[in-house]
Amino acid sequence: DAKTTQPPSMDCAEGRAANLPCNHSTISGNEYVYWYRQIHSQGPQYIIHGLKNNETNEMASLIITEDRKSSTLILPHATLRDTAVYYCIVRVATGGFKTIFGAGTRLFVKA
Amino acid sequence: EAQVTQNPRYLITVTGKKLTVTCSQNMNHEYMSWYRQDPGLGLRQIYYSMNVEVTDKGDVPEGYKVSRKEKRNFPLILESPSPNQTSLYFCASTPKGSGKGEAFFGQGTRLTVV
């Protein structure tokens, strides 16, 4: 499974969009991009995933570049409760479940 | 309610005393996995299982055992715990299928080995 690179921390003003980048330059054609977040020491929470098309759900949007070497998670209107560590991972969706989490990005949403 | 349940949530034990952390999921997921989380090191995968009686090593399997005798349960066994296994442990389950892969995590087990 490919590894990912994320900035260690980011700040965002409450109510503004939070754009979290992720680099996955060694991603394979059958690997999906997944995003999770972890608030304090709770279990990580799934946010969104995609293969090559942009995706949107009630929590966030995922923008994947055309060459699939990087992606951006967008929280459209960040709130204080979005303060968390955000993890970007890449892995195949079938045939195995070996998963590599990096250190993630610690997002601070400030009032 | 769909969930992954870990027990116990907190455990303090002594070096060398065998322990088991249980994990159970009620979603009929094929895949299950164990992680440990340490400050500055993020989440590291210990073992994973693709189905009953099918398990494989993750990145940090030393000192741990697992078993998958039933689809819903995936216990983590520490035969002889040591202080370097003091950590926060998470169990996760995921459905099988192309395009799926949303992992559901338990609430964690904080283990202290003295």
Side-chain angles (χ1 to χ4, degrees):
Chain A
D1 291 328
K3 293 190 176 180
T4 62
T5 304
Q6 299 176 252
S9 67
M10 295 182 63
D11 290 344
C12 179
E14 188 178 22
R16 303 297 294 269
N19 296 282
L20 292 89
C22 179
N23 181 287
H24 33 79
S25 58
T26 60
I27 192 171
S28 300
N30 62 345
E31 288 181 319
Y32 287 71
V33 180
Y34 292 83
W35 282 85
Y36 291 83
R37 73 179 183 184
Q38 186 177 27
I39 298 173
H40 297 301
S41 295
Q42 298 176 16
Q45 175 192 23
Y46 165 84
I47 301 173
I48 198 168
H49 76 283
L51 183 61
K52 50 185 175 182
N53 297 322
N54 298 336
E55 303 287 345
T56 296
N57 62 21
E58 64 279 3
M59 289 183 67
S61 295
L62 174 61
I63 309 297
I64 303 174
T65 58
E66 192 169 344
D67 64 7
R68 303 209 324 123
K69 293 184 177 181
S70 65
S71 61
T72 301
L73 177 75
I74 301 172
L75 308 178
H77 304 287
T79 71
L80 299 179
R81 288 176 294 179
D82 291 322
T83 292
V85 177
Y86 288 78
Y87 296 99
C88 165
I89 64 173
V90 293
R91 64 170 176 84
V92 295
T94 60
F97 190 30
K98 186 165 187 178
T99 303
I100 300 173
F101 279 81
T105 295
R106 186 171 293 276
L107 175 68
F108 295 94
V109 180
K110 301 181 177 181
Chain B
E1 178 188 357
Q3 60 185 2
V4 177
T5 303
Q6 295 178 227
N7 279 298
R9 293 288 310 279
Y10 301 91
L11 178 62
I12 300 175
T13 190
V14 296
T15 298
K17 185 177 181 181
K18 180 179 178 180
L19 66 92
T20 299
V21 183
T22 64
C23 174
S24 180
Q25 50 98 359
N26 63 359
M27 296 164 281
N28 201 38
H29 287 168
E30 286 78 9
Y31 297 150
M32 296 187 74
S33 190
W34 276 103
Y35 297 85
R36 62 178 288 174
Q37 186 170 34
D38 304 290
L41 295 177
L43 284 155
R44 294 181 294 167
Q45 194 173 38
I46 304 171
Y47 270 95
Y48 62 99
S49 170
M50 294 171 59
N51 215 324
V52 174
E53 302 292 1
V54 181
T55 63
D56 209 345
K57 297 177 180 179
D59 290 325
V60 288
E62 295 78 19
Y64 304 93
K65 288 176 58 177
V66 292
S67 69
R68 189 93 182 273
K69 292 183 169 52
E70 304 168 281
K71 198 172 187 179
R72 63 182 292 127
N73 296 323
F74 190 44
L76 179 70
I77 303 157
L78 284 72
E79 294 271 4
S80 183
S82 63
N84 64 11
Q85 293 179 298
T86 292
S87 187
L88 178 59
Y89 292 86
F90 290 103
C91 178
S93 74
T94 302
K96 178 182 178 181
S98 179
K100 298 180 182 178
E102 174 185 355
F104 292 79
F105 283 80
Q107 284 305 299
T109 296
R110 190 169 293 279
L111 172 66
T112 302
V113 183
V114 298

